[in-house]
Amino acid sequence: DALYTAGMHEGAIDSYDRANALDPEFHHSWRRKGKALSMLGNYYAAIEAFDRAISIKPDYENDWYSRGLAFAELGKHTDAIEAYDRALRLNPAYADALYEKGRSLSALGRPVDAVALYDEAAKAKPSRTEALIEKGRTLASLGRYDEAFDSFDKAIKINPYSHTAWISKGDSLAGLGKFGDAANAFELA
C-alpha cells in the first residue's frame, strides 16, 4: 500500500500481483489492484480486479462502488448504476454511491432522478457540498433557478470557500442575464 499511497501505481500493481500469486483469495490485494489500475486509466482491467475482489468478499460495498466508478469512466452508465445499486443494497446511506449514481443518471438523460439522489447524498453526508452543487447545476439546467440558487447557497453555507459553488452560482446568474450578481459570485470564488 505504500507504493499506492506514494502514487507509484505501476509498482503497486506489481506488488499486488505478487501478493495475489501467494494468496489468490487475499481480498485486499485485488481491491487495491483495482484502485491502482483505475488511477492509471486502465478501467477494464480494474473492473476485472474488482470482480475478483467481489467474488471473494461480495458484501464489501466499496468494491461495488469502485466497480461503478470504473464503468462510469468508460461511459457505461447503465453498468455503473447496477454496481452502485449493489453498493446501496449493502449500505443504503452510502453518500458517495448515491452521488455517483446521480451523476450516471444525469449522463443518461434522467436529471430529475439525479436531483433526488443528490438530495439523498446530501442528507447522508451533510458536509458533502459536491452533491448540493451538482443538484444546483442540474436544477439550473432544468430552468428551476430558485431551487438551484437555494442548493448553491446551502453548499456555500457549509463551505464558504467552495470555489465550485460560487462559480456554479455565478454561471447560473449569468445564464439569467444577472451579470452584476454573477460578477459578485465570481469575485467570491
Side-chain angles (χ1 to χ4, degrees), residues 76-118:
K76 296 177 176 261
H77 294 287
T78 301
D79 293 325
I81 289 168
E82 289 175 16
Y84 299 140
D85 282 343
R86 291 293 299 264
L88 290 166
R89 271 188 237 134
L90 295 165
N91 179 0
Y94 193 170
D96 293 339
L98 290 164
Y99 172 75
E100 293 297 342
K101 181 179 176 182
R103 292 186 65 202
S104 283
L105 285 168
S106 189
L108 290 173
R110 296 174 52 194
V112 174
D113 294 331
V115 167
L117 283 165
Y118 298 142

Side-chain angles (χ1 to χ4, degrees), residues 5 10 29 52 171 180 182 186:
T5 303
E10 290 172 356
S29 61
R52 184 70 176 108
D171 287 342
F186 293 140

Side-chain angles (χ1 to χ4, degrees), residues 9-188:
H9 303 298
E10 290 172 356
I13 292 166
D14 290 340
S15 293
Y16 299 135
D17 283 341
R18 284 194 300 277
N20 292 336
L22 293 172
D23 182 0
E25 298 299 310
F26 186 45
H27 169 261
H28 179 80
S29 61
W30 287 107
R31 177 173 58 88
R32 295 299 283 187
K33 179 180 179 179
K35 289 183 177 270
L37 288 163
S38 288
M39 294 300 291
L40 293 173
N42 192 344
Y43 301 112
Y44 287 107
I47 292 165
E48 289 178 14
F50 293 130
D51 285 347
R52 184 70 176 108
I54 288 166
S55 74
I56 297 165
K57 193 173 179 181
D59 61 345
Y60 189 66
E61 71 264 17
N62 189 270
D63 292 339
W64 288 105
Y65 167 74
S66 296
R67 185 176 192 269
L69 289 176
F71 275 122
E73 287 293 335
L74 293 168
K76 296 177 176 261
H77 294 287
T78 301
D79 293 325
I81 289 168
E82 289 175 16
Y84 299 140
D85 282 343
R86 291 293 299 264
L88 290 166
R89 271 188 237 134
L90 295 165
N91 179 0
Y94 193 170
D96 293 339
L98 290 164
Y99 172 75
E100 293 297 342
K101 181 179 176 182
R103 292 186 65 202
S104 283
L105 285 168
S106 189
L108 290 173
R110 296 174 52 194
V112 174
D113 294 331
V115 167
L117 283 165
Y118 298 142
D119 269 338
E120 286 184 54
K123 288 175 188 164
K125 192 173 183 180
S127 63
R128 182 163 187 139
T129 58
E130 295 93 341
L132 291 168
I133 294 165
E134 203 61 40
K135 176 185 173 186
R137 288 176 174 162
T138 304
L139 288 166
S141 75
L142 294 170
R144 295 165 54 185
Y145 290 102
D146 289 339
E147 294 171 86
F149 294 131
D150 182 54
S151 193
F152 295 138
D153 289 341
K154 285 179 183 174
I156 290 165
K157 185 175 181 182
I158 293 167
N159 180 4
Y161 304 106
S162 171
H163 301 293
T164 307
W166 283 109
I167 289 169
S168 297
K169 183 176 182 177
D171 287 342
S172 294
L173 287 164
L176 288 174
K178 297 182 178 184
F179 299 111
D181 293 334
N184 289 337
F186 293 140
E187 195 171 301
L188 292 167

